[in-house]
Amino acid sequence: MSIDSYLFILICYSSIFISGFFISRIVNFKTATNRFESIDGFRGLLATGVFIHHSIIWKNYLNTNIWELPKNHLAVHLGESSVAFFFMITSFLFTNKLLKSGSQNLVFWRNLLYSRIFRLFPLYFCVVTICIFFALAIDHFILNSTLYVFLAQCLKWYMFNIKGKVIIGQTYNIDFMLAGVVWSLPYEWLFYFTLPIIGTLMLKNKNVISIIVSVLFILVYINHNTIRLTHMVSFLGGMIPAIIHYFYPNIKLSNKLYTIAAIFCLIIGLSFDSSSRNYFSKTFLIIAFTIIALGNNLFGFLKINFLKFLGEISYSTYLIHGILLFTTFYFVGFDNIKTLNGTTYMFLMFIIAIFLNIICSFTFYLIEKPFINLYYKIISKKPFRIRKTISE
């Protein structure tokens, strides 16, 4: 069986779904009542898609020594379009939060910044630290630079590579270990720091300090990074349902006609080679996302409890799947993985997918969740509270 086949994708999804079902029941998972349920379930699909995308790329890389996109169009979209949808989700949730607040005071921006730090940094710090240690161990703790330069490189990584990505590790660099997924996080931070400017355009009141900070961050960012317009389009696409929801809060695109329309748009959007380089494709994906964000659950599919659980642990899945694949292949032996036929490799991915869910469940409840709760504990002592900011 070819790993570029639809059957391989189906088997991997089945493994994630089955293990997610049992784990969600073991932990007695329940989502908050004021969350966007369809978005939660959608996240679960997206994070799983990125894992499958990289599992296919890894096998082809071991065979050809070339890290390139899969031959299967759907497998390409499971990576590229999933990240595009993640950008849309971020944009939708935080544009919606900004509009609902109706305020641009410093307390709002302070709490928003706290929420992002407490939500994103703890797990990221742990994963990056493990990768750095692993890379050093493989290199027998021999540095190819001075200690000062190495520590400066580590600091850049801990700052989400906002000032440009650097290479740590000689034999295998840590970006390779992570399957390169961290490229999307600087874009997330760029969007967060762009929100004050977006707020200036959408809200009547202005906050000069937040706008200045926003402009300075953007200038630093563009000085060290190349911004791809296609990713900005994804963020703009996510703002559309947020604006509609704000001005027309009673609109719910939940009936069967809209479900059929969303599925149709997904099929059209996923039929092209790549959404990241095809704006026609991305347009259909934005339309599909708008329908989902405004309450459509695709015939109830996105409301399935275990799928929402997978959405809850999706940040862990996104960050950890790369290092799990690398670690497994490293200890089993890259040459041994290379010789596996498609069926055997599929079985291996089935097993890894189960362990991925188990590990990510632990990291969520032992790392992510405690810091989420700590954020709420800190913010509850403040005179101004933003509810449900961090978990989104």
Side-chain angles (χ1 to χ4, degrees), residues 111-306:
N111 289 343
L112 188 64
L113 180 60
Y114 285 178
S115 76
R116 296 301 84 201
I117 292 174
F118 277 82
R119 182 67 183 89
L120 299 179
F121 184 72
L123 179 66
Y124 177 83
F125 175 84
C126 293
V127 171
V128 169
T129 300
I130 290 172
C131 288
I132 291 174
F133 181 82
F134 197 6
L136 288 175
I138 292 174
D139 292 334
H140 305 289
F141 295 95
I142 299 174
L143 300 178
N144 63 347
S145 63
T146 65
L147 181 60
Y148 173 81
V149 171
F150 170 73
L151 293 176
Q153 291 173 335
C154 292
L155 181 60
K156 282 189 175 183
W157 267 89
Y158 288 131
M159 294 178 65
F160 295 91
N161 286 310
I162 289 171
K163 294 187 67 176
K165 188 179 293 183
V166 294
I167 302 299
I168 297 179
Q170 301 174 59
T171 308
Y172 302 106
N173 70 76
I174 64 174
D175 189 47
F176 178 73
M177 292 179 179
L178 291 166
V181 297
V182 295
W183 71 267
S184 65
L185 297 180
Y187 276 99
E188 296 270 344
W189 283 104
L190 177 62
F191 176 77
Y192 298 142
F193 277 91
T194 306
L195 279 172
I197 296 177
I198 296 173
T200 300
L201 299 175
M202 292 183 174
L203 302 175
K204 292 181 179 180
N205 63 325
K206 309 288 189 296
N207 186 281
V208 178
I209 296 178
S210 63
I211 294 173
I212 292 174
V213 172
S214 177
V215 171
L216 290 176
F217 181 91
I218 293 172
L219 290 175
V220 170
Y221 187 93
I222 62 178
N223 187 50
H224 293 89
N225 301 274
T226 300
I227 299 177
R228 293 182 60 180
L229 180 60
T230 180
H231 300 317
M232 296 297 100
V233 171
S234 297
F235 285 110
L236 289 173
M239 293 171 63
I240 294 173
I243 294 172
I244 296 174
H245 180 70
Y246 177 73
F247 287 104
Y248 305 97
N250 294 324
I251 288 184
K252 301 291 183 184
L253 307 184
S254 55
N255 63 46
K256 294 181 179 178
L257 181 63
Y258 284 111
T259 302
I260 295 172
I263 294 174
F264 173 78
C265 288
L266 285 172
I267 292 173
I268 296 297
L270 299 178
S271 298
F272 295 89
D273 287 353
S274 170
S275 65
S276 68
R277 294 181 294 273
N278 190 311
Y279 291 101
F280 185 71
S281 168
K282 182 154 289 188
T283 299
F284 280 95
L285 297 182
I286 289 173
I287 294 172
F289 175 77
T290 299
I291 295 172
I292 292 171
L294 293 176
N296 198 289
N297 53 43
L298 303 183
F299 295 120
F301 179 63
L302 298 180
K303 290 184 66 177
I304 297 175
N305 195 57
F306 76 79

Side-chain angles (χ1 to χ4, degrees), residues 9-25 40-52 78 301-302 304-311 313 317 349-350 352-358 361:
I9 295 173
L10 180 62
I11 293 296
C12 288
Y13 263 117
S14 299
S15 178
I16 290 286
F17 287 173
I18 292 171
S19 57
F21 170 78
F22 285 107
I23 296 172
S24 66
R25 291 177 70 89
D40 289 339
F42 198 35
R43 277 177 172 151
L45 283 177
L46 301 178
T48 302
V50 176
F51 160 70
I52 297 172
L78 289 179
F301 179 63
L302 298 180
I304 297 175
N305 195 57
F306 76 79
L307 201 56
K308 290 188 289 183
F309 170 73
L310 294 177
I313 66 171
T317 302
M349 288 304 104
F350 186 92
I352 289 177
I354 294 175
F355 277 99
L356 177 64
N357 266 353
I358 294 173
S361 299

